[in-house]
Every structure is written in C-alpha cells, then in structure tokens.
Amino acid sequence: MNHTDDKSPDAPLTVLAVDDEKPALDELAFLLRAQDAVGDIRTAGDATTALRILRDGEIDAVFLDINMPGLDGLELAGILANFASPPQVVFVTAHDDRAVAAFDLGAVDYLLKPLREERLAESVRRIVEGRRRRVDAGPAAPTDEVIPVELGGITTLVHRSSVEWVEADGDYARLHTADGSHLVRIPISALETRWADAGFLRVHRSYLVALPRVTGIRTVGNGLVVCLRGHGDHPPVELPVSRRHTRMLKDRLVRAPKQTWTAR
C-alpha cells in the first residue's frame, strides 16, 4: 500500500483529509494548506473513497473524522493499522468522548472541532517527528497486508495471507482465496515485487503463487505445472509454469523448509 518510509524525513507531507461533511472537509483542507510541512492534500467524503486513495497512492498521514456513514473513522483506522506501512492518523471530531478508543488505535493526535490553527500545527509537527523516527529505525518486518476490494458499493478486506494465487487480467489482477476470487486494480507485476518477501513467486506471465500453498510440481506434456491444494468442495489447482520460471520455482521449493515467510 504505502511506502512512505522510503521518503526523506524532510520531504513535504502527503496528507489525506476525510470527512463526510463538505464544509468541514473544505475547512480542514484549507488549514492544512497553510502548514509549511504539508505538500499534497487529497480529500475524501467517505471511508470507501479514502481506501481507494490509500490503495493507489503514498499517504503520510490521514486526518480523519469519526462519525461517518458506513465505516466510521475508528473502523477505518483499524483497517489502516493492518497496512504494510500504515499512514499516521489524526482524528478530527466534534466529540470528546472517543479519545481513549482513538489512542488505543495508535492515533498521533485527537483534534476537536472547531479547529484551531495552532493546534493543527502541533499535530503536523508530531507527524513529521513520527516519520523521522520511522526512517531512523529502518524498515520494519512486513506485516499481513490488507487489500480493500470494492464490489457493488461494498468494500471487502482481503488479507494477503489468504491469497493462494494471483491471475493477471490486463491491468488488473485477480486474487484467488479459499472463499473465491477478487478483482483489484493492481498489475500482477506490482504484486510480484511487493509480495516477494511474503513468499509469493511468479511462475508464469499470468500467474503468481503463494509458495506455502504449493503441494508439488509435475510434468504435463512438454511443460510443468505447479499444484496447489484444494479446499472443501474446491479441487486442487494446477497452473502452468513457464520455462524461464522453472529453475527459480524448483530452487525456491527446495529452500522452502528453511525459509520463514512473514504473516503466514
């Protein structure tokens, strides 16, 4: 999702403001633009739009209203906490009775409406300091990434650890899990790079597999297929392996018992 730890600690912040009330959202964006440390500002009027922006871009911090229709701010923050590199979160609300829950979710700050410019400046300062600490600490161990998938206006959360194989579908990728498949607007090449350290390997231009799900390989005609275990009424899956990926697959399967992948 986000890769903000790769940025310079002094680079301008990319911030997402989320509020379902447009006047409040406009005011928050206006006040954020006045902050020297803030560069790009993006806005969302609901959690679904926010998740789409967070999935497609690199966001350093989210300024988040709590009371919103659908997923509220606390629920959205809980989802963000599962991101591989979660953005920092500041809650902006008219209610002072949710602070404990907010800080339990690791919030950087809790701002009450109406906003005061000096108080907002303090939140931005904390975000900048938090980013510096992340950079100084170096990369953290990968966690189980969460992919938000939209279907019919409903957002479903798919954990990377539940994905058994990925199928290329043009500029999209289809994530196959024990519960079904989910189409996401992410090229398979991006997932190949992003998930390599979590035990995923490209075996064909159209397929990426989770190595811990592989039960074996076998020869079919002049080529190889990789076998993945089935679930319940679903039979085992066999996927073609291209010649140029064969050696790497065999090598990784031989080393598999010696290697531990995170979030598995």
Side-chain angles (χ1 to χ4, degrees):
M1 292 286 157
N2 295 312
H3 306 283
T4 58
D5 294 352
D6 296 335
K7 289 185 179 180
S8 162
D10 298 317
L13 296 169
T14 300
V15 172
L16 172 62
V18 187
D19 198 312
D20 64 306
E21 297 181 357
K22 193 171 188 310
L25 184 60
D26 290 343
E27 180 190 17
L28 176 56
F30 174 80
L31 292 173
L32 284 168
R33 287 190 187 96
Q35 301 295 318
D36 292 339
V38 175
D40 188 18
I41 300 171
R42 303 175 194 179
T43 59
D46 56 68
T48 298
T49 303
L51 282 169
R52 185 184 305 118
I53 293 171
L54 286 155
R55 181 190 62 198
D56 294 340
E58 297 182 359
I59 305 296
D60 295 297
V62 181
F63 285 76
L64 183 58
D65 186 26
I66 289 183
N67 289 343
M68 296 189 297
L71 283 176
D72 67 23
L74 292 173
E75 291 167 333
L76 178 56
I79 294 170
L80 301 186
N82 289 314
F83 279 18
S85 181
Q88 299 183 75
V89 174
V90 173
F91 286 101
V92 183
T93 178
H95 305 277
D96 61 2
D97 59 345
R98 312 294 291 277
V100 172
F103 286 114
D104 281 346
L105 288 167
V108 173
D109 209 346
Y110 189 92
L111 302 179
L112 289 175
K113 299 175 181 178
L115 291 174
R116 292 184 293 117
E117 189 170 351
E118 63 273 18
R119 189 65 184 83
L120 183 65
E122 170 63 16
S123 294
V124 172
R125 185 188 65 78
R126 293 184 185 185
I127 291 166
V128 172
E129 288 184 354
R131 185 170 64 179
R132 276 205 186 94
R133 285 194 298 270
R134 287 188 183 187
V135 172
D136 291 343
T143 55
D144 189 6
E145 184 176 338
V146 175
I147 307 295
V149 178
E150 296 171 40
L151 181 62
I154 299 174
T155 301
T156 301
L157 304 177
V158 178
H159 289 261
R160 181 186 62 204
S161 60
S162 71
V163 177
E164 302 180 349
W165 55 286
V166 181
E167 181 180 7
D169 193 342
D171 292 333
Y172 292 72
R174 187 170 293 279
L175 311 179
H176 291 267
T177 71
D179 299 323
S181 66
H182 310 272
L183 191 65
V184 294
R185 194 173 184 175
I186 307 173
I188 194 171
S189 57
L191 293 177
E192 176 188 7
T193 302
R194 206 156 93 191
W195 290 1
D197 291 340
F200 283 79
L201 182 69
R202 190 79 168 264
V203 297
H204 187 277
R205 64 176 181 167
S206 298
Y207 300 110
L208 179 71
V209 300
L211 290 174
R213 310 287 185 176
V214 173
T215 58
I217 55 176
R218 69 187 187 91
T219 302
V220 176
N222 294 324
L224 281 182
V225 296
V226 61
C227 308
L228 286 78
R229 68 173 67 96
H231 293 278
D233 296 332
H234 299 283
V237 175
E238 293 187 349
L239 302 174
V241 180
S242 66
R243 289 183 182 276
R244 72 188 191 93
H245 291 100
T246 297
R247 180 179 294 276
M248 176 62 75
L249 174 62
K250 290 181 176 179
D251 180 56
R252 291 291 294 274
L253 289 177
V254 168
R255 290 191 290 115
K258 302 177 184 178
Q259 182 168 354
T260 300
W261 291 293
T262 56
R264 285 280 163 196

